[in-house]
PDB file of all heavy atoms in Angstrom:
ATOM      1  N   VAL B1153      19.782  25.370 -24.929  1.00  0.00           N
ATOM      2  CA  VAL B1153      19.675  26.183 -23.678  1.00  0.00           C
ATOM      3  C   VAL B1153      20.655  25.691 -22.593  1.00  0.00           C
ATOM      4  O   VAL B1153      20.499  25.939 -21.416  1.00  0.00           O
ATOM      5  CB  VAL B1153      18.196  26.307 -23.166  1.00  0.00           C
ATOM      6  CG1 VAL B1153      17.307  27.031 -24.138  1.00  0.00           C
ATOM      7  CG2 VAL B1153      17.619  24.951 -22.867  1.00  0.00           C
ATOM      8  N   ARG B1156      22.028  28.247 -20.296  1.00  0.00           N
ATOM      9  CA  ARG B1156      21.126  29.043 -19.459  1.00  0.00           C
ATOM     10  C   ARG B1156      20.368  28.011 -18.569  1.00  0.00           C
ATOM     11  O   ARG B1156      20.712  27.795 -17.392  1.00  0.00           O
ATOM     12  CB  ARG B1156      20.174  29.836 -20.351  1.00  0.00           C
ATOM     13  CG  ARG B1156      19.438  30.883 -19.536  1.00  0.00           C
ATOM     14  CD  ARG B1156      18.226  30.340 -18.800  1.00  0.00           C
ATOM     15  NE  ARG B1156      17.222  29.883 -19.712  1.00  0.00           N
ATOM     16  CZ  ARG B1156      16.174  29.135 -19.274  1.00  0.00           C
ATOM     17  NH1 ARG B1156      15.992  28.889 -18.005  1.00  0.00           N
ATOM     18  NH2 ARG B1156      15.301  28.675 -20.135  1.00  0.00           N
ATOM     19  N   ASP B1157      19.419  27.253 -19.118  1.00  0.00           N
ATOM     20  CA  ASP B1157      18.671  26.295 -18.310  1.00  0.00           C
ATOM     21  C   ASP B1157      19.611  25.293 -17.701  1.00  0.00           C
ATOM     22  O   ASP B1157      19.632  24.928 -16.508  1.00  0.00           O
ATOM     23  CB  ASP B1157      17.567  25.582 -19.143  1.00  0.00           C
ATOM     24  CG  ASP B1157      16.325  25.279 -18.346  1.00  0.00           C
ATOM     25  OD1 ASP B1157      16.471  24.947 -17.205  1.00  0.00           O
ATOM     26  OD2 ASP B1157      15.225  25.382 -18.962  1.00  0.00           O
ATOM     27  N   GLN B1160      21.954  26.957 -15.112  1.00  0.00           N
ATOM     28  CA  GLN B1160      21.361  27.337 -13.820  1.00  0.00           C
ATOM     29  C   GLN B1160      21.034  26.190 -12.953  1.00  0.00           C
ATOM     30  O   GLN B1160      20.721  26.304 -11.788  1.00  0.00           O
ATOM     31  CB  GLN B1160      20.102  28.272 -14.074  1.00  0.00           C
ATOM     32  CG  GLN B1160      18.841  27.540 -14.487  1.00  0.00           C
ATOM     33  CD  GLN B1160      17.718  28.545 -14.870  1.00  0.00           C
ATOM     34  OE1 GLN B1160      18.016  29.548 -15.596  1.00  0.00           O
ATOM     35  NE2 GLN B1160      16.540  28.324 -14.478  1.00  0.00           N
ATOM     36  N   PRO B1331       6.499  26.147 -22.774  1.00  0.00           N
ATOM     37  CA  PRO B1331       7.283  25.266 -21.905  1.00  0.00           C
ATOM     38  C   PRO B1331       6.404  24.207 -21.124  1.00  0.00           C
ATOM     39  O   PRO B1331       5.343  24.527 -20.588  1.00  0.00           O
ATOM     40  CB  PRO B1331       7.981  26.198 -20.921  1.00  0.00           C
ATOM     41  CG  PRO B1331       7.721  27.566 -21.403  1.00  0.00           C
ATOM     42  CD  PRO B1331       6.545  27.521 -22.276  1.00  0.00           C
ATOM     43  N   ASN B1332       6.946  23.017 -21.152  1.00  0.00           N
ATOM     44  CA  ASN B1332       6.466  21.955 -20.230  1.00  0.00           C
ATOM     45  C   ASN B1332       7.374  22.133 -19.017  1.00  0.00           C
ATOM     46  O   ASN B1332       8.266  21.312 -18.773  1.00  0.00           O
ATOM     47  CB  ASN B1332       6.645  20.616 -20.880  1.00  0.00           C
ATOM     48  CG  ASN B1332       5.702  19.575 -20.339  1.00  0.00           C
ATOM     49  OD1 ASN B1332       4.932  19.846 -19.423  1.00  0.00           O
ATOM     50  ND2 ASN B1332       5.782  18.382 -20.857  1.00  0.00           N
ATOM     51  N   THR B1333       7.169  23.204 -18.273  1.00  0.00           N
ATOM     52  CA  THR B1333       8.136  23.651 -17.274  1.00  0.00           C
ATOM     53  C   THR B1333       8.349  22.571 -16.277  1.00  0.00           C
ATOM     54  O   THR B1333       9.439  22.292 -15.803  1.00  0.00           O
ATOM     55  CB  THR B1333       7.665  25.000 -16.622  1.00  0.00           C
ATOM     56  OG1 THR B1333       7.508  25.920 -17.635  1.00  0.00           O
ATOM     57  CG2 THR B1333       8.613  25.447 -15.552  1.00  0.00           C
ATOM     58  N   HIS B1364       9.719  23.288 -25.212  1.00  0.00           N
ATOM     59  CA  HIS B1364      10.739  23.433 -24.207  1.00  0.00           C
ATOM     60  C   HIS B1364      10.283  22.484 -23.104  1.00  0.00           C
ATOM     61  O   HIS B1364       9.536  22.855 -22.221  1.00  0.00           O
ATOM     62  CB  HIS B1364      10.863  24.865 -23.714  1.00  0.00           C
ATOM     63  CG  HIS B1364      11.853  25.119 -22.618  1.00  0.00           C
ATOM     64  ND1 HIS B1364      12.949  25.876 -22.767  1.00  0.00           N
ATOM     65  CD2 HIS B1364      11.893  24.654 -21.320  1.00  0.00           C
ATOM     66  CE1 HIS B1364      13.602  25.893 -21.642  1.00  0.00           C
ATOM     67  NE2 HIS B1364      12.976  25.182 -20.739  1.00  0.00           N
ATOM     68  N   THR B1365      10.731  21.205 -23.236  1.00  0.00           N
ATOM     69  CA  THR B1365      10.183  20.263 -22.233  1.00  0.00           C
ATOM     70  C   THR B1365      11.185  19.951 -21.113  1.00  0.00           C
ATOM     71  O   THR B1365      12.423  20.010 -21.336  1.00  0.00           O
ATOM     72  CB  THR B1365       9.839  18.937 -22.886  1.00  0.00           C
ATOM     73  OG1 THR B1365      10.983  18.337 -23.484  1.00  0.00           O
ATOM     74  CG2 THR B1365       8.723  19.135 -23.939  1.00  0.00           C
ATOM     75  N   HIS B1366      10.695  19.624 -19.957  1.00  0.00           N
ATOM     76  CA  HIS B1366      11.517  19.125 -18.869  1.00  0.00           C
ATOM     77  C   HIS B1366      11.163  17.674 -18.661  1.00  0.00           C
ATOM     78  O   HIS B1366      10.146  17.177 -19.122  1.00  0.00           O
ATOM     79  CB  HIS B1366      11.308  20.021 -17.612  1.00  0.00           C
ATOM     80  CG  HIS B1366      12.138  21.273 -17.714  1.00  0.00           C
ATOM     81  ND1 HIS B1366      13.400  21.396 -17.136  1.00  0.00           N
ATOM     82  CD2 HIS B1366      11.911  22.466 -18.298  1.00  0.00           C
ATOM     83  CE1 HIS B1366      13.926  22.618 -17.378  1.00  0.00           C
ATOM     84  NE2 HIS B1366      13.001  23.297 -18.078  1.00  0.00           N
ATOM     85  N   GLU B1388      13.715  23.634 -27.983  1.00  0.00           N
ATOM     86  CA  GLU B1388      14.775  24.079 -27.049  1.00  0.00           C
ATOM     87  C   GLU B1388      15.103  22.894 -26.133  1.00  0.00           C
ATOM     88  O   GLU B1388      14.244  22.160 -25.772  1.00  0.00           O
ATOM     89  CB  GLU B1388      14.225  25.229 -26.204  1.00  0.00           C
ATOM     90  CG  GLU B1388      14.036  26.526 -26.949  1.00  0.00           C
ATOM     91  CD  GLU B1388      13.791  27.713 -26.001  1.00  0.00           C
ATOM     92  OE1 GLU B1388      13.661  27.559 -24.826  1.00  0.00           O
ATOM     93  OE2 GLU B1388      13.732  28.871 -26.570  1.00  0.00           O
ATOM     94  N   GLU B1396      17.123  22.156 -15.325  1.00  0.00           N
ATOM     95  CA  GLU B1396      16.513  22.220 -13.988  1.00  0.00           C
ATOM     96  C   GLU B1396      15.979  20.826 -13.549  1.00  0.00           C
ATOM     97  O   GLU B1396      15.317  20.107 -14.379  1.00  0.00           O
ATOM     98  CB  GLU B1396      15.377  23.206 -14.002  1.00  0.00           C
ATOM     99  CG  GLU B1396      15.900  24.692 -14.025  1.00  0.00           C
ATOM    100  CD  GLU B1396      16.341  25.192 -12.658  1.00  0.00           C
ATOM    101  OE1 GLU B1396      16.573  24.350 -11.766  1.00  0.00           O
ATOM    102  OE2 GLU B1396      16.558  26.428 -12.510  1.00  0.00           O
ATOM    103  N   ASN B1400      16.313  19.004 -19.107  1.00  0.00           N
ATOM    104  CA  ASN B1400      15.522  19.386 -20.295  1.00  0.00           C
ATOM    105  C   ASN B1400      15.519  18.181 -21.250  1.00  0.00           C
ATOM    106  O   ASN B1400      16.231  17.184 -21.090  1.00  0.00           O
ATOM    107  CB  ASN B1400      16.176  20.543 -21.036  1.00  0.00           C
ATOM    108  CG  ASN B1400      16.025  21.846 -20.269  1.00  0.00           C
ATOM    109  OD1 ASN B1400      16.796  22.157 -19.327  1.00  0.00           O
ATOM    110  ND2 ASN B1400      15.019  22.626 -20.651  1.00  0.00           N
TER     111      ASN B1400
HETATM  112 ZN1  LIG S2941      13.239  25.257 -18.652  1.00  0.00          ZN
END
Side-chain angles (χ1 to χ4, degrees):
V1153 295
R1156 197 278 298 169
D1157 214 323
Q1160 77 189 43
N1332 202 0
T1333 303
H1364 177 116
T1365 60
H1366 279 266
E1388 292 190 353
E1396 286 283 12
N1400 287 85

